[in-house]
Amino acid sequence: ESARFPQDFKGAYFDVRPSHTLYAATLVAYEDKIDYENGRPASEFMVRQEISLQTTSHLRWSLDYTHLTLDVAAGRLFRVHAVDAGVTYQMNRRAFLRAIAQYTDTVQSERLYAARVEPLVRTLFVQLLWSYTLNPRTVMFAGYSGDLAGQRAYGLTETNRTVFLKMGYALTR
């Protein structure tokens, strides 16, 4: 038997670019969602804030923050805080260097899930990427990425790391 859940969305978005170097935006949203795991209606509340700053013609900084909650009739199912920070240095027309870090902190209510869940989960992803365009059809990438994860019982621990080199070439007639 299928169930029907009403969906309603309320939100506001605001952005501003007071100069060619600064940009900021905020999104606030409240909407009906579905707890698919347990087949019940839920309510989501989200605030997302973004800021980017072009400090020089070669250097750009960005920072995004998201706060997200999902509530069901019995209480708060989960709460997420996520931060995404990055810096890009455009060396010249052909090459750039970028560093990013993405951190997520999730708190889940164990009593509201049908299956066992970790009450606290933290993740951190970091990446360093260098890109060089040899010609309009050929690009080369080199970089490093790493993942860390943690729970209530232990702090952030490295779970994966990758060093990579990639070359792309577009074949055309």
Side-chain angles (χ1 to χ4, degrees), residues 41-122:
S43 299
E44 179 184 271
F45 175 72
M46 180 180 66
V47 176
R48 184 169 191 273
Q49 297 172 306
E50 172 186 351
I51 188 165
S52 67
L53 181 63
Q54 187 86 32
T55 52
T56 71
S57 61
H58 297 279
L59 193 59
R60 180 179 177 272
W61 303 83
S62 65
L63 181 64
D64 297 348
Y65 170 75
T66 302
H67 168 84
L68 176 74
T69 60
L70 189 69
D71 296 317
V72 294
R76 170 129 322 138
L77 197 59
F78 65 80
R79 185 259 318 139
V80 177
H81 291 289
V83 178
D84 186 348
V87 60
T88 302
Y89 180 69
Q90 188 74 41
M91 299 170 179
N92 53 46
R93 284 184 343 174
R94 293 179 176 239
F96 74 82
L97 184 63
R98 180 183 71 203
I100 60 172
Q102 299 168 334
Y103 176 77
T104 304
D105 178 274
T106 305
V107 176
Q108 303 175 106
S109 177
E110 296 174 276
R111 67 180 177 80
L112 297 178
Y113 282 88
R116 186 187 175 291
V117 297
E118 284 297 327
L120 176 64
V121 177
R122 293 185 175 120

